[in-house]
Amino acid sequence: MTGVLSERLVTIGEDDLEALARGAAVLGTGGGGDPYIGRLLATQALREHGPVALVAPEDLPGDATVFPVAMMGAPTVMVEKTPSTERIGATVAALAEYLGVTPTHIACIEAGGVNSTFPLVAAAQLGLPLVDGDGMGRAFPELQMVLPTLSGIACAPMSIADEKGNVGVLTTVDNHAAEALARSLTITMGCAAIISNYVMSGAQAREALVPGTLSLCARIGHRVERARAEHGDAVAAVAAELGGRVLHTGKVTDVARRTVTGFARGTAIVSGGAGELTLEFQNEHLMAVRDGVVQVTTPDLIIVLDTDTGEPVTTEALRFGHRVTVLAAPTDERWHSPGGIALVGPRYFGYDTDPVRFDARDLE
Amino acid sequence: MTGVLSERLVTIGEDDLEALARGAAVLGTGGGGDPYIGRLLATQALREHGPVALVAPEDLPGDATVFPVAMMGAPTVMVEKTPSTERIGATVAALAEYLGVTPTHIACIEAGGVNSTFPLVAAAQLGLPLVDGDGMGRAFPELQMVLPTLSGIACAPMSIADEKGNVGVLTTVDNHAAEALARSLTITMGCAAIISNYVMSGAQAREALVPGTLSLCARIGHRVERARAEHGDAVAAVAAELGGRVLHTGKVTDVARRTVTGFARGTAIVSGGAGELTLEFQNEHLMAVRDGVVQVTTPDLIIVLDTDTGEPVTTEALRFGHRVTVLAAPTDERWHSPGGIALVGPRYFGYDTDPVRFDARDLE
């Protein structure tokens, strides 16, 4: 890890959005949505309502009422049916009214190009501070795949809304049921919905969230910018910020995609000097294999960057001929607990392998 | 019409259920669920909680708060995942709590083997009177297909629940959106869900419901029983009660089913002395055609009865070799308004024909 962990944002304004969205897309590990769309949504809200105050999880009052908000579904669809900032705020308000509580803070449940900036819109519109943290420290495709699930926090009651004005409130027997029911509503809503879920107290947020995510995103984004301005190595800057290392550098020589049970599953091959690296993805990059040997798997981070610019590449943007560098980096330690592996380990995604952890000893 | 219209039930007890469920399956016109399942559900509730009081719509106080309750999805599935009476009551309670109102009456939204008896369970469990009426005077497959839609009454806010304890409350921009969203939840809930919707005042219920449906169901059921006990013509008794007539008598010689967009669509051919009658169905019987000439279409009633016993035959129970009689009967006049035809006319179901009304002049 580098020494810049202490650089923390205290507010997020329009000027921070580019770096924030780029860094969030890095943590999105191929999923979590296009940073450009994420930035567009947030820019409008911040221009209208001004900067949003950031609060570190450890500074939350124990009795704070924290409302995460996110986009569910296919971020690519969001461009064509962008919700108004009012609808995003209304989704939080619908859940608050159902619960009979007043939100004191907004939070991110996922780091990703869209889902790190989306909560900014809600915070700006509702005039609430935003928690500098998130529920994963990365992106994962299903609602139950968050650290709050490991802390016993319920996903539902949750609200779900479309851009037209349809709103649902779900109460479920467990977080897997919340995922199943919200997923079917999302599909009927046109494959993109606004959700608010995992309402938690300040005390719960301190325990269950990954602290500092938004500051980390901004730092990553700024380092990429600086490296580029100074004609330095943007990829190395990202690796350093995350305590990660380069797995492979090369050219994308094959991408196979198939849509299975609503997810974009696929395989990409990156060929280069050190042979071939095969990436298995399902919205996010979940496994990297070289010569039949699994190098690293979910829950650790597998990040694909444009080799020249350090720009994160989402799984849907992977193209033949693209020159990319694949990084691996450690995830939040809680994901490596038995409960974490049951929730997001490679077997859950259908890969027949035990988890292979990012190995920091290779970092010399 | 016969002279027994004045025979009205004032309570429904266990002894009424057989006749009620059978008559309801007649009005179900092939859909609305198996009367046996409907009876099973209600028997348990009435045994536990005692008889349910019936209130005619015209006797409802204007400020009554009427909660319809129904089963959505495939009634065949209900057998394997029968909800407890508590869950049915809880579905009403969830909507009442969301709306912040106290239900004073329960109502049926659809006449049919399951949906005429299902509200009895809720009424018994919650200790509330049941309105002697329904929202269609028959069965139709989609949520927006009720007379309350024509009266401008909103389907949502509505509640939807499964037998496990998952509950959703939906607020929608219109009744078609309620159908689409609730349908997707129903499918994820295992193809059968409990719903409460179209909450209305007593004044609205007086205007929007079809009065006397449950009494009519019981009368139909009792006439079939009596005819059988007296070795009379049960089919003629049903026709007389509904002011209908026999379209065709014969043997089922062909049944073709296909599942299209979640509905059981199909065609059945009944061959007999007077040639062939073709029935087109989609959960309910929607069109009867003889020699290429459309005899009658939705919204009028097309009812298939066992020729010997007068027992109603649901579309899923149609079998080769079954000796059946097809009746046609008039529907509530409001269905023949332009708005009614737009909602449930043959073209909505994909049949390329104008509506053909049941013709009472053939009744000699």
Side-chain angles (χ1 to χ4, degrees):
Chain A
M1 291 282 176
T2 67
V4 290
L5 260 178
S6 55
E7 270 180 45
R8 267 205 201 127
L9 294 176
V10 289
T11 60
I12 298 181
E14 228 186 296
D15 292 346
D16 302 304
L17 287 179
E18 187 176 347
L20 179 72
R22 178 182 290 131
V26 168
L27 293 184
T29 63
D34 185 333
Y36 176 72
I37 299 168
R39 205 179 132 194
L40 273 188
L41 287 168
T43 301
Q44 187 197 349
L46 294 187
R47 202 165 284 171
E48 195 174 338
H49 299 284
V52 164
L54 272 191
V55 179
E58 64 262 37
D59 295 335
L60 283 170
D63 62 353
T65 311
V66 180
F67 276 63
V69 62
M71 199 235 106
M72 184 166 187
T76 38
V77 172
M78 256 304 161
V79 209
E80 299 184 20
K81 34 186 265 154
T82 310
S84 65
T85 54
E86 282 68 27
R87 288 264 181 260
I88 299 173
T91 307
V92 172
L95 182 56
E97 195 188 329
Y98 178 82
L99 294 171
V101 298
T102 304
T104 61
H105 296 77
I106 299 293
C108 297
I109 203 72
E110 165 175 276
V114 166
N115 271 338
S116 291
T117 47
F118 210 71
L120 261 173
V121 179
Q125 209 264 324
L126 298 168
L128 293 174
L130 181 65
V131 178
D132 186 7
D134 82 301
M136 308 187 199
R138 51 164 297 159
F140 276 126
E142 298 179 10
L143 291 193
Q144 76 280 5
M145 296 176 171
V146 297
L147 293 171
T149 295
L150 297 183
S151 292
I153 298 171
C155 179
M158 66 171 285
S159 56
I160 175 164
D162 65 13
E163 81 289 1
K164 298 188 197 81
N166 296 303
V167 185
V169 176
L170 300 173
T171 306
T172 61
V173 294
D174 59 33
N175 295 356
H176 281 82
E179 158 66 24
L181 295 174
R183 184 72 54 188
S184 66
L185 284 179
T186 297
I187 292 168
T188 304
M189 284 172 168
C191 288
I194 313 156
I195 59 173
S196 182
N197 53 9
Y198 289 103
V199 173
M200 61 187 97
S201 69
Q204 287 176 311
R206 289 199 295 250
E207 183 201 319
L209 296 182
V210 177
T213 310
L214 298 180
S215 289
L216 173 62
C217 291
R219 284 200 308 277
I220 294 168
H222 285 307
R223 284 183 79 143
V224 170
E225 275 168 41
R226 210 179 311 142
R228 263 195 249 169
E230 295 165 0
H231 305 287
D233 185 343
V235 168
V238 172
E241 184 65 51
L242 293 173
R245 68 178 173 89
V246 172
L247 274 184
H248 201 75
T249 297
K251 229 164 59 175
V252 178
T253 54
D254 197 17
V255 184
R257 291 188 172 84
R258 54 194 189 283
T259 302
V260 184
T261 63
F263 294 109
R265 295 193 76 139
T267 303
I269 295 173
V270 182
S271 304
E276 278 186 0
L277 190 78
T278 301
L279 296 171
E280 299 285 346
F281 57 86
Q282 181 169 328
N283 290 16
E284 284 74 35
H285 294 293
L286 298 173
M287 183 160 73
V289 183
R290 181 185 288 123
D291 300 333
V293 180
V294 179
Q295 303 293 302
V296 64
T297 68
T298 173
D300 279 327
L301 278 61
I302 300 167
I303 297 158
V304 178
L305 302 176
D306 180 290
T307 302
D308 294 330
T309 63
E311 211 64 51
V313 182
T314 58
T315 53
E316 63 265 26
L318 277 173
R319 292 284 176 278
F320 178 86
H322 203 152
R323 294 173 54 80
V324 298
T325 297
V326 182
L327 297 184
T331 195
D332 188 281
E333 192 55 32
R334 289 168 282 185
W335 281 128
H336 287 290
S337 66
I341 294 301
L343 217 49
V344 299
R347 290 194 195 280
Y348 181 89
F349 292 100
Y351 303 116
D352 187 22
T353 176
D354 287 327
V356 175
R357 294 188 65 153
F358 166 82
D359 191 343
R361 286 170 306 179
D362 297 341
L363 246 187
E364 303 319 305
Chain B
M1 290 279 178
T2 68
V4 292
L5 261 177
S6 55
E7 269 181 43
R8 268 205 200 127
L9 293 176
V10 290
T11 60
I12 299 181
E14 230 186 297
D15 292 345
D16 303 304
L17 287 179
E18 188 177 345
L20 179 72
R22 178 183 290 131
V26 169
L27 293 184
T29 63
D34 185 334
Y36 176 70
I37 300 167
R39 204 176 133 195
L40 273 189
L41 287 168
T43 300
Q44 188 197 348
L46 294 187
R47 202 166 282 172
E48 196 174 336
H49 300 282
V52 163
L54 272 192
V55 179
E58 64 262 37
D59 295 335
L60 282 170
D63 62 352
T65 311
V66 181
F67 276 63
V69 61
M71 200 234 108
M72 183 166 186
T76 38
V77 172
M78 256 303 160
V79 208
E80 299 184 20
K81 34 187 268 154
T82 310
S84 64
T85 55
E86 281 69 27
R87 287 265 181 261
I88 299 173
T91 306
V92 172
L95 182 57
E97 195 188 329
Y98 179 81
L99 295 171
V101 297
T102 304
T104 61
H105 297 76
I106 299 296
C108 297
I109 204 72
E110 165 175 276
V114 166
N115 271 339
S116 290
T117 47
F118 210 73
L120 261 173
V121 179
Q125 209 263 325
L126 297 167
L128 292 175
L130 181 64
V131 178
D132 186 7
D134 82 301
M136 306 187 200
R138 50 166 297 159
F140 276 125
E142 298 180 7
L143 290 193
Q144 76 280 4
M145 297 176 172
V146 297
L147 294 171
T149 295
L150 298 183
S151 293
I153 299 171
C155 179
M158 66 171 285
S159 56
I160 175 165
D162 65 13
E163 83 289 0
K164 299 188 197 80
N166 296 303
V167 185
V169 176
L170 301 173
T171 307
T172 61
V173 293
D174 59 34
N175 294 358
H176 281 83
E179 158 65 24
L181 295 173
R183 185 72 53 188
S184 65
L185 285 179
T186 296
I187 292 167
T188 305
M189 285 172 166
C191 289
I194 311 156
I195 58 172
S196 182
N197 53 10
Y198 289 103
V199 173
M200 59 187 98
S201 68
Q204 288 176 310
R206 290 198 296 246
E207 183 201 317
L209 296 183
V210 177
T213 311
L214 298 180
S215 289
L216 173 63
C217 291
R219 283 200 309 276
I220 295 169
H222 284 307
R223 285 184 78 143
V224 169
E225 274 167 43
R226 212 179 311 142
R228 262 194 249 170
E230 297 167 358
H231 305 288
D233 185 343
V235 169
V238 172
E241 183 66 49
L242 293 172
R245 68 178 173 91
V246 172
L247 274 183
H248 201 74
T249 296
K251 230 164 62 175
V252 178
T253 53
D254 197 17
V255 184
R257 292 188 171 82
R258 52 195 190 285
T259 303
V260 183
T261 62
F263 293 109
R265 295 194 76 139
T267 303
I269 296 173
V270 182
S271 304
E276 277 187 1
L277 190 78
T278 301
L279 296 171
E280 299 284 346
F281 58 85
Q282 181 169 327
N283 290 18
E284 284 75 33
H285 294 293
L286 297 172
M287 183 160 70
V289 183
R290 180 185 289 125
D291 300 331
V293 180
V294 179
Q295 303 293 302
V296 63
T297 67
T298 172
D300 279 326
L301 279 60
I302 300 167
I303 297 158
V304 178
L305 302 177
D306 180 292
T307 301
D308 294 330
T309 63
E311 211 64 51
V313 183
T314 58
T315 53
E316 64 265 27
L318 277 173
R319 291 283 177 279
F320 177 86
H322 203 152
R323 294 173 53 82
V324 297
T325 297
V326 183
L327 297 184
T331 194
D332 189 282
E333 191 54 34
R334 289 168 281 185
W335 281 128
H336 287 291
S337 66
I341 295 301
L343 218 47
V344 299
R347 290 194 196 280
Y348 181 88
F349 292 100
Y351 303 115
D352 187 21
T353 177
D354 287 327
V356 176
R357 294 187 66 154
F358 166 79
D359 192 342
R361 287 171 304 178
D362 297 339
L363 244 186
E364 305 318 307

